[in-house]
Structures are given as structure tokens and as C-alpha cells.
Amino acid sequence: MYKDHGDVIHSVGAMEGNPPEEGTKVEAEIDGVRRNKLRRMHTAQHVVSKVVLDEFGAETAGNRIHTDRSRIDFEPVEFDGDDLRKIETKANDVIQKDLGVTKENRPREIVEREVEEGRALLDLIPDHVDPLRVVEIDGFDTCPCGGTHVDSLGEVGGIEITDRESKGKDTDRITFVLNDG
Ligand SMILES: [Zn+2]
């Protein structure tokens, strides 16, 4: 699912038979298990990104969320093994606090003021996108994001960092899983 100029577009992956005629009403169902994993992963990504910004001053240059494992690219930074354990511990401490997660549309002007420097690539969001959907982890982090997230951090459970690789000078990629796989 994605949005195109305000229209919600659902793309059909593996469909059997011929596609229905244009204008046909169809019934769709969300895969609840998959959706729940993605909500937890997406929210965990916000936590890890914020922990890394706080501890290392590195920005999230990109991320890729999957149901089984997710990855985030950070720059400028070069992590060692101790750094990874520190990030994991700090992220899990925050998750344990079970902070509330709210999502709402806010005027872009306000978002530009309240989002911490280095926390969001606001320059990459076209100017006409206003309001912006903001995901706020109570008292911890505010970031514009269109993804799907949990309502309370405890739902994430916990994370484990499984891999770190260098993606060139000053850019490191971290891979993490949810504690229950
Ligand atoms: Zn998000």
C-alpha cells in the first residue's frame, strides 16, 4: 500500500487468475501477523535511530524494514562491538519504559521546529507535503513517518543487534531483529 497524491493505492502481488474489471468492488484483508511484526519493527527503528543520534551524533541515512530483520544506515560514524552493545542496551531500556506512541498530522512549520536536528531528512520531503504525519514517542522522540507503529513501546518487546557492516567511509549499517525473532 502506498499513497499517491492523497489516493491510497493497494498493489496486488501474487494474484491468481485474471484481474477484476475496473470498478469491481473487492474485499481485502490485512495479514495481521505480518502487520504486527512490521509495526513493532518500524517503532524499534525509531528507538534505535534516536539512541544513535543521542549517543553518537549520527543521522539515519536510510533504513529498510522487514518482518524478520531490519537495517539502518548511519552516518557519520564507525561502530565497534562495545558501541553495538551500548546501542542495544539503551534501546531496550527505552522499550522497557513502555512509553506511549502517538501518530498525528501536524503543520509542517511546527514539525520543522519540534524535530531535533539530524533526526529527520525533512529536506527530502517535498515542500507541498503539509501537514506531515508525526510519530511521537512520549518524551523521547519525534519524527515524521508514514509507516505503521505500535501504540505503546512495550509491544516492541526488545531488540537484538545481529550485524554491523561498513557501507563506505563514515557510513555503518546495523541489522537488528526483534527478540522473539
Ligand atoms: Zn516510522
Side-chain angles (χ1 to χ4, degrees):
M1 192 278 278
Y2 61 97
K3 277 190 183 176
D4 180 24
H5 294 90
D7 292 329
V8 177
I9 314 283
H10 294 275
S11 58
V12 181
M15 195 169 65
E16 286 175 30
N18 297 319
E21 294 279 320
E22 191 178 331
T24 307
K25 277 202 173 152
V26 296
E27 225 171 271
E29 208 175 288
I30 286 169
D31 178 343
V33 173
R34 179 183 146 81
R35 167 61 67 99
N36 200 39
K37 288 241 164 172
L38 290 173
R39 292 170 77 228
R40 293 169 62 211
M41 277 291 195
H42 265 281
T43 313
Q45 180 263 309
H46 287 235
V47 173
V48 174
S49 285
K50 170 68 165 147
V51 165
V52 170
L53 180 64
D54 284 350
E55 299 295 322
F56 301 91
E59 292 189 35
T60 295
N63 68 71
R64 191 98 198 177
I65 308 295
H66 298 284
T67 52
D68 55 345
R69 81 188 90 82
S70 299
R71 63 181 204 220
I72 312 173
D73 293 344
F74 292 103
E75 62 186 24
V77 78
E78 208 177 316
F79 300 118
D80 63 23
D82 286 344
D83 295 337
L84 299 184
R85 277 187 293 279
K86 183 174 176 184
I87 296 164
E88 188 179 279
T89 303
K90 294 242 170 198
N92 284 326
D93 285 350
V94 173
I95 290 165
Q96 290 298 308
K97 288 184 190 161
D98 198 19
L99 305 170
V101 183
T102 52
K103 310 94 185 177
E104 64 177 13
N105 288 325
R106 292 181 189 166
R108 186 180 181 115
E109 186 196 354
I110 290 180
V111 178
E112 285 179 352
R113 259 186 279 137
E114 69 187 4
V115 170
E116 191 179 342
E117 178 78 30
R119 184 60 190 89
L121 302 168
L122 277 168
D123 292 350
L124 298 186
I125 304 174
D127 282 341
H128 68 82
V129 182
D130 187 3
L132 290 170
R133 183 172 184 269
V134 173
V135 176
E136 181 166 352
I137 301 173
D138 192 20
F140 177 68
D141 181 51
T142 302
C143 189
C145 184
T148 180
H149 307 82
V150 299
D151 297 320
S152 173
L153 276 194
E155 293 174 62
V156 175
I159 61 130
E160 188 185 328
I161 293 172
T162 56
D163 194 35
R164 171 251 158 195
E165 64 182 305
S166 175
K167 299 305 286 181
K169 195 180 173 316
D170 293 339
T171 305
D172 267 19
R173 172 171 294 174
I174 281 180
T175 301
F176 68 91
V177 297
L178 296 171
N179 267 347
D180 59 2

